[in-house]
Amino acid sequence: AAATTTTTETATDTSEDQTVNDHHHHHHHRDQDQEDASSMVGELSCSEQSSSYREDLISLSSSSLSSESMPELRQRKNLQRLYNIVNEICTSEEKFVATLKLLNESFRQHILANVNQTSGGEQGVTSSSTLTTTATNNIQQQLQPPFDCIGLILKHLPQLQALNESLLDELRQARNQWPSTQKISHVLVKIGPFLKHYSSYIRDFECIQQQFQDNLKKSAQFRDVIKRFERDHSDRCGQLSIQHHLLKPIQRIPQYRLLLQQYLHHLKPDDADYEDTVSALEVVSRVAEHANHSLSEGANFAKLLALQAKIVGGKQRRDLIQPGRLLIREGELLKVCRKQIQPRWFVLLSDSLLYLKQIQSNDILYLKYELPLDDCQVELPAAEEAGSGVVESSSAAGDQDNTGQQQRQQQEEEGRELELNICTTVRSMTLIAKSRQERDDWFEALRSAIENHVAKRRSFRSGAAATANSTDATQQQQQQQQQKQQQILVRTRP
């Protein structure tokens, strides 16, 4: 009986423990849901405190969220993320405008005050009236070498500063109204056509970038003026060089695109700002692509300019800077001459091939020929027939002669693998590269440049012929109308 009682009590205790465990397990899941909701509320509440006015604009207090369901909490959290991006657009614009003021006002005044010199050679201070005039006129006329490169950049800054100050005012207004309207992208859609000013800035900055670096190394006066500005404005420069700040306008367009992409990621197609965000992203992306194109054009212009500075002599020497001309490739190749092989420098342009000779430690190039690509042909040497020139012999002497001949043949074949034949109406030559890969790269670059140039010329001629035919047809129609009018006049005479 005692054993039975003990067994019964044990079963009862086990059943009660299982009931208690189930009860705690149920409460655990309910507590876990409450913790998830509380954590989300807490996260939202923390994000509210990141801005002094955000709590008033978007009410996400714990008391208002505690009674809401998880989908509603997620929706509010998404709104908070959207607003954080809106706030980031505005705050980053504020910093960018401050950088533009630093460059356009403080840096401009510093350059003009320390660079302009009087007729006696002493530095003169520019008056405020002259500074104001220079801000709108061509500042390049106010600066002398080596500071003229800075003028190419400073001339764009007044327009950029005015544009972004206006943009900042509208962004702030849209941010203040966002909790009720949930719209901000229309501001960038409106300002989009004026973002083309960035392309001009980027193109000119790329042109003077190398010159700026060279002036810092070679000109003590240039270096002293730049370093003095960075030291005197260290609080505003943030321990960054002036070149770093000059890069800010180039970086701003990609920043717009990145922020808009993040903003669009959290929008739904039926949201109020969805269509404007898509349109703004398209506008900014087009400007970014155009800026990249301007950047490549600026880099190409700088390369041509540096190349032209190194070229001397030659009856055919002319300005390398031509509309639409691109520098495709340059490098040293060996030219096969009558007596020996000599190193020569070749520059492949989009419309011609420059054949130059290096002199004075390769710092100066002498132009020997400019070979047009109109009638240029590039070929690889034809492979020799396998087994040609091989003489079989069973004698020892014959075997030695055969081995030597095979070695010479192998060396010749290896040398021919590096050759490149170029034929033009001006000059024909055989060139040797340093490796098979370099030879193949030159061959592909030449072949592609010739095809593109010929196709462009053919298209131009077709367009010119079509224009001429259209002009002839128009003139014929006019002549026929004049003849008809004369016939009518003759018939109507009394």
Side-chain angles (χ1 to χ4, degrees):
T4 304
T5 303
T6 304
T7 304
T8 304
E9 290 177 354
T10 302
T12 303
D13 292 341
T14 303
S15 177
E16 289 178 355
D17 292 342
Q18 182 65 32
T19 303
V20 170
N21 289 336
D22 293 341
H23 182 70
H24 284 304
H25 185 68
H26 173 72
H27 279 285
H28 174 72
H29 281 290
R30 186 176 63 185
D31 293 342
Q32 184 65 36
D33 292 339
Q34 291 178 352
E35 288 178 3
D36 292 341
S38 299
S39 64
M40 182 175 291
V41 171
E43 182 180 350
L44 296 175
S45 299
C46 292
S47 62
E48 295 171 21
Q49 299 173 1
S50 62
S51 179
S52 60
Y53 48 80
R54 193 169 301 169
E55 186 175 356
D56 296 332
L57 296 178
I58 301 180
S59 178
L60 294 175
S61 61
S62 300
S63 59
S64 64
L65 294 178
S66 58
S67 61
E68 293 184 355
S69 63
M70 291 298 294
E72 292 174 335
L73 290 176
R74 292 191 181 97
Q75 183 179 1
R76 284 185 174 271
K77 186 175 182 180
N78 189 63
L79 288 176
Q80 186 67 62
R81 287 171 177 168
L82 288 171
Y83 187 80
N84 290 343
I85 298 173
V86 168
N87 192 54
E88 177 63 23
I89 293 175
C90 290
T91 54
S92 62
E93 189 68 21
E94 291 172 354
K95 296 177 182 178
F96 180 59
V97 169
T99 298
L100 290 177
K101 288 182 178 180
L102 174 70
L103 296 174
N104 186 45
E105 297 175 5
S106 302
F107 185 60
R108 177 189 297 270
Q109 187 174 8
H110 176 81
I111 291 296
L112 293 175
N114 291 275
V115 173
N116 284 348
Q117 298 181 353
T118 61
S119 58
E122 299 177 354
Q123 293 182 346
V125 179
T126 306
S127 63
S128 57
S129 60
T130 305
L131 178 61
T132 304
T133 304
T134 309
T136 56
N137 293 340
N138 186 6
I139 191 174
Q140 290 178 273
Q141 299 177 357
Q142 305 289 329
L143 300 178
Q144 301 175 358
F147 296 92
D148 53 340
C149 65
I150 299 180
L152 195 62
I153 288 298
L154 293 181
K155 72 176 184 179
H156 298 290
L157 294 178
Q159 293 176 332
L160 290 181
Q161 181 179 342
L163 172 65
N164 286 89
E165 285 178 343
S166 176
L167 175 61
L168 178 58
D169 291 340
E170 296 196 31
L171 287 175
R172 284 172 173 169
Q173 183 179 358
R175 179 183 62 181
N176 295 336
Q177 299 174 353
W178 193 89
S180 58
T181 63
Q182 296 183 10
K183 297 188 67 175
I184 194 174
S185 298
H186 64 282
V187 176
L188 290 171
V189 174
K190 177 182 176 182
I191 209 73
F194 300 97
L195 295 178
K196 61 183 180 181
H197 294 304
Y198 283 88
S199 298
S200 301
Y201 179 91
I202 292 172
R203 182 182 61 250
D204 289 341
F205 178 83
E206 190 67 18
C207 293
I208 66 98
Q209 188 176 15
Q210 187 59 46
Q211 186 179 355
F212 193 98
Q213 291 281 3
D214 293 341
N215 291 343
L216 283 176
K217 296 177 181 179
K218 299 177 181 179
S219 174
Q221 182 190 12
F222 186 90
R223 183 170 55 253
D224 178 67
V225 171
I226 298 299
K227 296 300 181 183
R228 194 185 317 139
F229 175 82
E230 295 173 352
R231 183 178 63 252
D232 296 343
H233 297 79
S234 58
D235 54 334
R236 297 175 64 189
C237 290
Q239 305 300 325
L240 298 175
S241 66
I242 193 64
Q243 287 178 281
H244 182 91
H245 290 286
L246 290 172
L247 279 170
K248 293 290 186 180
I250 299 177
Q251 300 169 344
R252 189 54 182 160
I253 296 296
Q255 289 175 352
Y256 287 141
R257 181 166 58 180
L258 179 61
L259 289 170
L260 285 172
Q261 287 173 344
Q262 295 175 351
Y263 186 64
L264 182 63
H265 177 71
H266 296 287
L267 288 174
K268 298 186 294 295
D270 57 345
D271 287 338
D273 212 13
Y274 186 84
E275 292 184 1
D276 283 341
T277 303
V278 172
S279 300
L281 187 56
E282 291 178 354
V283 170
V284 171
S285 297
R286 284 198 301 268
V287 175
E289 291 174 0
H290 187 265
N292 290 335
H293 181 68
S294 299
L295 197 63
S296 61
E297 284 185 346
N300 179 75
F301 177 82
K303 291 178 181 178
L304 287 175
L305 202 61
L307 178 63
Q308 181 164 297
K310 297 171 63 176
I311 296 179
V312 298
K315 297 181 180 179
Q316 303 177 10
R317 183 174 183 266
R318 59 189 179 93
D319 192 2
L320 292 182
I321 312 298
Q322 300 291 334
R325 170 175 280 181
L326 301 177
L327 194 156
I328 300 175
R329 184 183 179 89
E330 64 175 323
E332 185 182 72
L333 294 171
L334 299 177
K335 180 182 177 297
V336 179
C337 302
R338 294 181 179 179
K339 297 182 179 181
Q340 59 183 351
I341 297 176
Q342 296 180 349
R344 293 290 183 264
W345 193 263
F346 291 87
V347 178
L348 176 59
L349 304 175
S350 55
D351 60 346
S352 61
L353 177 66
L354 303 185
Y355 168 27
L356 308 109
K357 180 181 179 180
Q358 296 172 305
I359 56 178
Q360 293 186 1
S361 302
N362 303 334
D363 291 334
I364 298 178
L365 299 172
Y366 182 86
L367 179 62
K368 297 180 70 68
Y369 294 99
E370 181 174 358
L371 310 175
L373 298 184
D374 300 77
D375 301 317
C376 182
Q377 294 181 352
V378 55
E379 298 175 349
L380 298 177
E384 294 183 359
E385 295 182 1
S388 62
V390 178
V391 180
E392 296 183 358
S393 176
S394 59
S395 64
D399 291 341
Q400 293 179 355
D401 293 341
N402 187 31
T403 301
Q405 187 175 2
Q406 289 179 351
Q407 291 177 352
R408 289 193 299 271
Q409 180 181 354
Q410 184 178 359
Q411 292 176 355
E412 290 177 358
E413 290 178 354
E414 291 176 353
R416 290 176 63 83
E417 288 181 354
L418 306 179
E419 290 183 1
L420 185 70
N421 297 324
I422 297 177
C423 180
T424 69
T425 56
V426 178
R427 185 85 173 177
S428 297
M429 64 192 76
T430 298
L431 306 177
I432 301 177
K434 297 177 182 178
S435 65
R436 179 73 175 268
Q437 183 63 45
E438 184 183 39
R439 191 278 306 269
D440 293 342
D441 292 342
W442 269 104
F443 176 77
E444 291 298 329
L446 281 163
R447 184 184 59 81
S448 178
I450 293 171
E451 290 179 355
N452 293 336
H453 179 68
V454 171
K456 187 180 296 184
R457 290 292 295 265
R458 187 183 297 115
S459 175
F460 175 78
R461 291 170 182 171
S462 300
T467 303
N469 294 335
S470 176
T471 303
D472 293 341
T474 303
Q475 292 177 352
Q476 291 178 0
Q477 291 178 358
Q478 292 176 353
Q479 291 176 358
Q480 291 176 359
Q481 290 179 357
Q482 291 177 357
Q483 291 176 358
K484 290 180 180 179
Q485 291 176 355
Q486 291 177 357
Q487 292 176 359
I488 293 173
L489 291 175
V490 171
R491 293 175 183 175
T492 56
R493 286 178 181 174

